[in-house]
Amino acid sequence: MTGQGVVWLGSPPFPKAAREALKNDQLRANLKRATTTIRDKRLAVASELDDWEALRESAAAIKRRTARHLDRYLLQLEESVTVAGGTVHWAADAAEANRIVTELVRATGEREVVKIKSMATQEIGLNEHLAEAGITAYETDLAELIVQLGDDRPSHILVPAIHKNRGEIRDLFTAEMGSWGRPAPDGLTDEPAALAEAARQHLREKFLRAKVAVSGANFACAETGTVVVVESEGNGRMCLTLPETLITVMGIEKVVPTWSDLEVFLQLLPRSSTGERMNPYTSTWTGTTEGDGPSAFHLVLLDNGRTDTLADTVGRQALACIRCSACLNVCPVYERTGGHAYGSVYPGPIGAVLTPQLVGVETAASLPFASTLCGACYDACPVKINIPEVLTHLRAEVVEAKGRSAEALAMKAAGVVLDSPRLLGAAQKAAALGGRVLSRDGRIGRLPGPLHGWSDSRDTPAPATESFRTWWRKNKENGESR
Amino acid sequence: MSSRETVLARIRAALADVPAEEAPQDVPVPRDYRRSHVRPGEDTVTLFAERVADYRANVTRTDRAGLTDAIAAALTRREARHLAVPAGFPTELLPTGGWEWHPEPLDVPALDGLDGAITLAAAGIAVTGTIVLDTGAGQGRRALTLVPDYHLCIVDAEQIADDVPDALARLDPARPLTFVSGPSATSDIELDRVEGVHGPRTLDVIVVESGLDAARTA
Ligand code: SF4
């Protein structure tokens, strides 16, 4: 089985989960404030670069080149990492990746590891797997710590604990920190600075004694074997520097051809992600360095459904994702439902296209419908992934696989947002914020493809022009103007 | 079949649509973005100082003659008395008086007990307000600028690149690199920015406009 771990088993399908989430006013208020803030910052710093579009084109092209020659670049990466003193492991699926990491940790004789926030290790459920083997994994990113202490799930790519407010975090720290290590100080207030200080103290003792660290990777350069981690807090630097053994689990799509390709991504990623010109810390390492940092470095290359995604000539573009989360922050559906409703490690628009591809459309059939197709995500995406195009493509696949019942599912998922005029207004506003305009009369007629049954009975306000046009063109080109 | 072979075989099968004769270079990558976003007439050093200050780091500009005083002023302001000094740092630049200088090598518990670290840099990036450390002379191991709560970094104006592309071209990826843009920060709690979680909570940067090179190679 491929794509293991990506979806949270037992999660309700999106329409059901979304309807529950919509009842949670606190969650919606948190999300709205967060996404609006990040969105505004992103627009401000992206507009500082008048060649933003050229950077996006270049990034998309580098990713296209890499994907089309992925075998070659992975072999090159393997060689350059090995020459630099690292060891490369290949994992066909989650189970194998977990096994490799567990064995590597066991070989050190250690029973605990410190971790840098990493979607790949969340995807494979590494922490749970290590726990079964008697190894404790400590998350060191503040948000991941909050999620871990709360026995919770992350709900946003960039700010995983966005669904929690300061009071909840204070209560959590007070109640739980003691059972994981240094307890929270007495009389802890809910001031963010006080909470951050409590986390600093709690985690520092772990950093200073940890012998093994586990990380993900934002990029890895085939040419040089250089691995890159981008972060803000310094917990990444701690994990990459102080332990003796470093184990990095990296999706095979994270490779880029050359060192100089990073000049494109290091400009796009922070601006798209946190809305900063540059994130506080970026660390790069090439194998091991005598007398500085870990003396053993292991790189685990993870497939886990990525090659299935690669095989789909429309869907493969989703592998270009650099996990900036810009698409989440502009998505009217995400803003309403939060990340948990997606039932996957990968929430929001990118989750809606990546999850069904990694696990198979049958397993996440409602996700391609968890969208208004307003196109804001495509506009925001620094690597120009045409998410609406992939969504409609996957919708067709779901319909093919499931017949009419899928259409009912479609109505339900899209309906969560579209049914209410107020919510649709939000969708349109987000689309306009994304820099696009509505179709001239603000209305579209019959929808093509799988949604036509739905639009037959309604006059559908146009979600957005460009994504719709792309969608229309594609459907017409396929001769499906039903 | 090993997993390596399995994954490679899956990739090759997945890419059946890619013509066998296609080389990576046949997939065009446009490179018509700017090499630099410094505007014509804009002073790189001034821009660097502004952008570093934007992260609420303290930035001072001085020349070689004023450097020792600038270091003393920064340390006094931060009330930092015990400082790590990496190998290769030009110690003749250090002020004398109420400071204790702890030369490398230092282990992690020792670093944890210090007030801060003083280092040189490998490069600066003006547009993003970034300093880059490559563990070269005067910069120390990665832990040196990480564990203590305060980092005072001295950047030679000559080292400041306009933008990310020229900075990367100057750097050697074989060395462990750390790009620092302001102090450690988090926005994980209700998106309120808090400085300092795990890395140094305070970053001071002194830009030396002339003559540091001579001091460094002396
Ligand atoms: S799909 Fe694009 S916008 Fe969304 S997280 Fe990935 S790179 Fe960012």
Side-chain angles (χ1 to χ4, degrees), chain A residues 296-309:
Chain A
F297 169 52
H298 296 273
L299 182 63
V300 182
L301 299 173
L302 175 71
D303 178 351
N304 202 36
R306 286 163 175 76
T307 44
D308 293 340
T309 309

Side-chain angles (χ1 to χ4, degrees), chain B residues 14-87:
Chain B
L15 293 171
D17 63 303
V18 176
E21 65 280 7
E22 183 182 293
Q25 299 82 316
D26 296 334
V27 185
V29 174
R31 299 273 181 188
D32 43 10
Y33 51 85
R34 291 185 189 284
R35 303 297 302 169
S36 163
H37 293 89
V38 176
R39 283 185 291 270
E42 201 168 18
D43 175 50
T44 305
V45 178
T46 303
L47 182 65
F48 174 76
E50 280 170 15
R51 294 274 157 104
V52 173
D54 260 6
Y55 300 117
R56 296 191 227 167
N58 200 289
V59 189
T60 313
R61 291 174 70 165
T62 182
D63 57 13
R64 168 65 187 86
L67 180 55
T68 300
D69 286 347
I71 293 171
L75 297 177
T76 303
R77 189 171 55 237
R78 302 299 183 187
E79 295 177 15
R81 312 190 69 80
H82 296 269
L83 290 121
V85 182

